[in-house]
Amino acid sequence: MRKKVDERIRTLIENGVKTRHRSFFVIIGDKSRDQIVNLHYMLSKSVIKSRPNVLWCYRDKLELSSHKKKRAKQVKKLMHRGLLDPEKADPLSLFLETAGITYCQYKDSERILGNTFGMCILQDFEALTPNLLARTIETVEGGGLIILLLRSLSSLTSLYTMVMDVHERFRTESHSIATGRFNERFLLSLASCESCIVMDDELNILPISSHMKSVTPVPVKEDSEGLSEAERDLKDLKEKLKDDFPVGPLIKKCCTFDQSKAVITFLDAILDKTLRSTVALLAGRGRGKSAALGLAVAGAVAAGYSNIFVTAPSPENLKTLFEFVSKGFDMLEYKEHLDYDIVRSSNPELKKVTIRINIYKQHRQTIQYIQPHEHKKLSQVELLVVDEAAAIPLPIVKSLLGPYLVFLSSTVNGYEGTGRSLSLKLIKQLEEQSLATTKNTDTVSSGRLFKPIDLKEAIRYASGDPVESWLNNLLCLDIENSIPGINRLPPTDECDLYYVNRDTLFSYHKDSELFLQRMMALYVASHYKNSPNDLQLLADAPAHHLFVLLGPVNESRNQLPDILCVIQICLEGKISKSSAMRSLSNGQQPSGDQIPWKFCEQFQDKDFPSLSGARIVRIATHPNAMKLGYGSKAIELLKRYFEGQFTPISEVDVENDPEPPQQLKITEAAKNVSLLEENIKPRSDLPPLLVHLSERRPEKLHYMGVSFGLTLDLFRFWRRHKFAPFYICEIPNSVTGEHTCMMLKPLETDDIEVDGNDEFGFFGPYYRAFRSSFARLLCSPSFNTMECKLAMSILDPKLNFADVDPSSTISPGIYDDIIKSPISMNRLSAYVNNLAAYHLISDLKLPLAYLYFQEKLPVTLSHAQATVLLCMGLQNQDVSYTEKMVNLERQQIMSFYMKIMRKFHKYLDSVSTKEFTATLPPVKEVDLKPHPISVDEDLDEAAKKVKDEFKAQSEGLMNPEFLQRYAIADKDADFESALQNGSGKIPSGGVISVKSSKRKAEKYLKPKGKIEKNKDGSSSKSSKKKKRSS
């Protein structure tokens, strides 16, 4: 049965073709596929050129008939014979076989970047994400159609409770109910899109599209030649430069005035031929970036460049670029197969995309595709073109830059999640280098010049496209310039932290939308990685919450307060012990709960996941209020809030959720209303948008945590707020090139008994274990090139040991590898005595540095000395690397190194001496007590004893009996004879010798029974009578 199509549908399509604006159709019903054919037919009738090509996106299955191939063969046979009756044939089958459809699964949507289609069909609404929505819609050219297919719905509001595929990643063990706030806002926003029609599968327009009550044909403003104002400017420029080669022929292919100026800027850099320029083309989707690059590459070939390399995330992204290189060759009168050849990929997955063009007209020239990570192949390059640079990891983009001409093209507004990273980090760095070059005239010849280009005018569609405005508002994309100024910067003491109710924030009320746009603008301006998917996470994830720091609120003035700071947190933990044990045994981590699972894996602790905590996902401060303490104030207030300082403890200790989610009653009210009668509008019974912390019951938490890309400034910021690290990923992030760092701060709670002397409470032992392991990892390839300031901040070593007793830190055995090796100690001694070079102790610097940073070597060092020790010791680098890192002269570094080793040697030598002394036998202790008598008395007693002995000896000598033995009797003659022998004189010695006639025994014979004195004064009695021998 035929039915007349509503004229508003046909008029909307025709108006879109005339104004080069896109049209958006949402078709609800199980037979919505059948209407695709009719819409495509109406579009084909309206456009002047050939039939528009179609992009069909789906999740995993097209759900077409299983006899598709068989039916296709039959249709082709009938068409070939001329026997096909369109009335009897299935229109959808005919459309599928003849429309030239490009099928693409959502997971492979990156392949369509840089391509243009006349119609885009999106099915499987449950699988759609904001990223996919932006990526697919922006491939449609002006005048084209976007068709969103939905299954039969009893009510449009049932989208509010529809379970999306992405919700599975939002659920955790303790937060399992996701709320479809994003779908609610999406549906309500359709009413604000001027070129959107919501209809059923019979093309009946639904009441939500009430703004389409009357659609009238629009006139197009044209001059006498049928040109608009923008087209007139472009034509004048082409006429002005038509005689300039190669600029004139190339800009004839430009479609907008902005694009022509971009091509001229590229060609200026090419013709300069100094190869020291970097030109960056930044714009939103559909601005003709790839086409401008293709024309510029053709101009480079005409200028004589021999080696031109182009790169992109995938060769398929360069389809438009190579297409416009060929068009540029046509304008320069190059002939394919005569002047150049096109080489296509043999990989079936790439579908014969162009990967190289060889040119022979002037001399051998090449345009070659390389993969982004193949930067080592750029040794002979003269021009490097990087298309879709936002989709390439930032470190890889930096590695591609070099001493040659570089053209960059990137999509901003965060479509790929890295556009802001490129513009904020790389572009800023290039601008600073260019300014330094222009200021220093001595280095102009060798410095790099940077030229930014910004395209505002869309090339796929005309300016003022309603679908573009709707998409930008829905996904908060084009808001980087919408950050409002701050009327007054209040002191931090006057600021308060407020809880943001997400039901009200995403309700699509006028004030809520303005507040959301301002808040997301702070995200875009303050954080490098942003994507539309962040908005859905913020809206639907059950564990996420928002807080804003506001100045004093003047309730008398009916306006939104200035947002000074935004904090997004995610509640984590409350995981059962059985789940933790299962995760440890399987070696797999469930999605969500980042900090508990990572902590559990890092320390093999099955009890920590049961604790509850809050992970700070993002903290964004207003650009005009940076580094004024607002972020610190917000964190301090958040900490006090979760510690229960704003609410009595009795109100904190509850088992139920602090704020049970409100059930949506609007779906129940719409059950009895058909789609053709249902009127959708924002809810009215909503709670206040902002709630003061004193009016909301906090969750009971044990800790606060944060996960971020590790940089020096961010780490120091969190360290100032008493957060301590427990995990740093060894593999850098593929997008930012930074290592993921997780930090934790325990909160004051009565649930866990802790040592009051430990600053980090229950987290103290884990923090010390992390520092020990990280010190060992600094010599690994992952961290041995880490900035020394950052590494010092992470280790946070104790440098001053003046108040520490060295003997108290000595543990037996920790120095055995060094001090018990005579060779090691001798080499260390030789170095510190200037008898050997520092290379001799290269094997000792790592263990010595590790001992020092573990506070096992209590030696006081300056900060500069400790930094040198970290670079040369823990990171195991040479002097040249250390010289660059610490910005000191080589001689000064070696002086520091010598002083460090001398202190270490002195300490180790003392330890060795003490250990050797301990092996000696113990010395007996002598108990020295005072004498019982004085010195004078002791001397008098000794003198008396000596006198008595002398007196006794004197008496014995004077005894006649004793002297009798020396008597000379009856020997006068002998005496005289002795004198005469001496001439009558006594010898000078006074001694003469007279021979005695007595025997020796007789001289000493004592009478029997006589008592005689001994020499010592004692007496003895002879018991025997000695006989004289005869």
Side-chain angles (χ1 to χ4, degrees), residues 456-750:
K456 298 293 185 183
E457 191 175 355
I459 195 169
R460 281 198 178 102
Y461 41 83
S463 299
D465 182 61
V467 174
E468 182 185 33
S469 300
W470 166 79
L471 192 64
N472 287 341
N473 290 330
L474 173 67
L475 304 182
C476 301
L477 292 177
D478 192 18
I479 56 176
E480 57 180 286
N481 297 322
S482 64
I483 301 175
I486 298 181
N487 299 324
R488 172 177 171 263
L489 291 173
T492 56
D493 296 338
E494 298 180 6
C495 300
D496 279 323
L497 196 64
Y498 292 83
Y499 177 80
V500 181
N501 188 288
R502 291 187 294 165
D503 289 336
T504 307
L505 182 65
F506 291 93
S507 62
Y508 207 69
H509 279 277
K510 181 179 179 181
D511 290 338
S512 297
E513 278 297 298
L514 181 59
F515 194 84
L516 176 63
Q517 298 285 337
R518 290 183 179 181
M519 197 169 64
M520 296 305 296
L522 295 190
Y523 273 2
V524 171
S526 302
H527 287 270
Y528 301 139
K529 182 182 178 182
N530 291 276
S531 71
N533 282 349
D534 297 335
L535 191 66
Q536 189 173 23
L537 174 72
L538 187 63
D540 295 355
H544 285 245
H545 298 274
L546 281 171
F547 297 86
V548 291
L549 184 72
L550 308 177
V553 179
N554 188 353
E555 297 181 359
S556 61
R557 300 178 62 183
N558 189 18
Q559 66 178 17
L560 289 173
D562 295 328
I563 304 176
L564 299 174
C565 182
V566 182
I567 296 182
Q568 178 183 348
I569 70 164
C570 176
L571 299 180
E572 297 182 336
K574 292 185 178 180
I575 302 171
S576 64
K577 194 170 183 178
S578 59
S579 299
M581 293 289 291
R582 187 165 55 251
S583 174
L584 287 175
S585 60
N586 296 338
Q588 296 179 351
Q589 300 178 11
S591 61
D593 292 316
Q594 290 186 17
I595 287 181
W597 288 124
K598 186 58 65 177
F599 196 100
C600 176
E601 176 192 45
Q602 191 75 2
F603 301 105
Q604 296 294 297
D605 190 318
K606 60 182 180 298
D607 297 323
F608 182 84
S610 61
L611 304 179
S612 57
R615 174 171 56 89
I616 298 177
V617 180
R618 288 193 176 189
I619 174 169
T621 306
H622 196 287
N624 298 337
M626 301 287 283
K627 297 184 179 181
L628 296 178
Y630 293 113
S632 300
K633 181 66 175 179
I635 293 175
E636 177 62 24
L637 291 175
L638 189 66
K639 167 185 164 298
R640 293 173 53 196
Y641 168 67
F642 284 124
E643 287 181 344
Q645 298 185 25
F646 294 128
T647 311
I649 300 299
S650 58
E651 296 184 22
V652 177
D653 291 332
V654 293
E655 296 181 358
N656 298 327
D657 291 334
E659 195 171 310
Q662 296 181 355
Q663 298 296 327
L664 298 178
K665 299 180 181 179
I666 192 168
T667 56
E668 299 177 1
K671 282 184 178 179
N672 299 325
V673 182
S674 64
L675 286 176
L676 295 176
E677 299 175 354
E678 185 179 18
N679 190 13
I680 304 297
K681 61 182 180 179
R683 289 183 285 165
S684 57
D685 55 340
L686 290 168
L689 176 65
L690 301 175
V691 180
H692 194 272
L693 296 186
S694 60
E695 301 174 2
R696 183 182 183 273
R697 194 168 55 241
E699 292 80 1
K700 189 173 184 180
L701 304 181
H702 301 95
Y703 62 87
M704 289 171 57
V706 63
S707 176
F708 59 93
L710 185 59
T711 61
L712 180 60
D713 292 338
L714 280 177
F715 184 85
R716 286 180 173 175
F717 173 80
W718 293 110
R719 205 63 189 87
R720 283 198 302 270
H721 294 88
K722 307 301 181 183
F723 284 76
F726 71 88
Y727 170 75
I728 296 178
C729 184
E730 295 185 50
I731 303 174
N733 185 276
S734 60
V735 176
T736 62
E738 298 165 346
H739 297 269
T740 300
C741 175
M742 292 187 180
M743 303 180 73
L744 192 139
K745 174 184 176 65
L747 297 177
E748 294 182 3
T749 177
D750 297 334

Side-chain angles (χ1 to χ4, degrees), residues 56-295:
W56 194 312
C57 298
Y58 61 99
R59 177 172 52 190
D60 49 10
K61 293 181 180 179
L62 280 171
E63 298 180 1
L64 299 175
S65 172
S66 59
H67 297 286
K68 173 186 173 184
K69 294 183 179 180
K70 182 178 179 180
R71 186 170 60 247
K73 291 181 180 180
Q74 293 174 346
V75 169
K76 286 183 180 179
K77 287 182 180 179
L78 292 173
M79 290 179 64
H80 183 69
R81 296 176 183 177
L83 301 176
L84 179 64
D85 185 0
E87 297 291 333
K88 297 181 180 179
D90 182 5
L92 181 60
S93 300
L94 185 62
F95 170 75
L96 294 176
E97 299 301 329
T98 60
I101 300 175
T102 300
Y103 297 100
C104 178
Q105 290 185 332
Y106 286 131
K107 64 180 181 180
D108 299 327
S109 60
E110 290 185 358
R111 292 186 175 182
I112 64 175
L113 294 177
N115 296 289
T116 302
F117 300 94
M119 175 185 282
C120 176
I121 302 170
L122 304 175
Q123 71 174 45
D124 301 322
F125 179 75
E126 308 85 29
L128 268 179
T129 63
N131 269 10
L132 294 174
L133 199 63
R135 188 178 296 160
T136 53
I137 288 179
E138 286 304 308
T139 61
V140 180
E141 62 184 352
L145 303 184
I146 299 116
I147 302 175
L148 177 62
L149 306 180
L150 296 176
R151 298 180 182 274
S152 294
L153 300 174
S154 60
S155 168
L156 286 175
T157 55
S158 59
L159 288 177
Y160 297 2
T161 56
M162 179 179 289
V163 179
M164 308 294 285
D165 292 352
V166 74
H167 286 175
E168 182 65 27
R169 291 189 281 123
F170 295 164
R171 299 188 185 96
T172 62
E173 184 171 327
S174 56
H175 302 85
S176 57
I177 302 176
T179 307
R181 300 182 184 91
F182 182 82
N183 286 355
E184 176 183 357
R185 183 169 171 269
F186 169 80
L187 181 62
L188 293 171
S189 70
L190 294 177
S192 64
C193 183
E194 298 176 359
S195 61
C196 175
I197 292 181
V198 182
M199 51 192 180
D200 60 13
D201 53 6
E202 295 181 357
L203 300 187
N204 297 314
I205 299 178
L206 302 184
I208 189 174
S209 300
S210 57
H211 59 287
M212 306 296 292
K213 286 183 178 179
S214 61
V215 181
T216 57
V218 294
V220 181
K221 295 183 180 180
E222 299 175 346
D223 58 9
S224 58
E225 298 182 9
L227 300 177
S228 63
E229 183 179 354
E231 292 171 341
R232 169 59 59 186
D233 293 338
L234 178 61
K235 183 178 179 181
D236 292 343
L237 181 63
K238 291 180 179 179
E239 288 290 332
K240 182 179 178 180
L241 300 174
K242 65 179 181 179
D243 296 330
D244 293 343
F245 185 85
V247 180
L250 291 176
I251 64 171
K252 289 181 181 179
K253 282 293 181 180
C254 294
C255 298
T256 64
F257 187 69
D258 276 354
Q259 189 184 35
S260 62
K261 290 194 297 183
V263 172
I264 292 172
T265 304
F266 282 133
L267 292 176
D268 286 342
I270 290 171
L271 298 175
D272 185 27
K273 291 196 174 180
T274 58
L275 304 183
R276 61 189 185 94
S277 296
T278 301
V279 185
L281 179 60
L282 302 178
R285 287 239 172 253
R287 263 60 180 173
K289 300 183 298 297
S290 298
L293 284 174
L295 295 174

Side-chain angles (χ1 to χ4, degrees), residues 378-403:
L378 300 175
S379 58
Q380 302 297 325
V381 66
E382 296 173 335
L383 169 62
L384 173 66
V385 179
V386 184
D387 196 13
E388 296 295 349
I392 301 175
L394 184 59
I396 297 181
V397 177
K398 287 185 177 181
S399 67
L400 290 170
L401 305 182

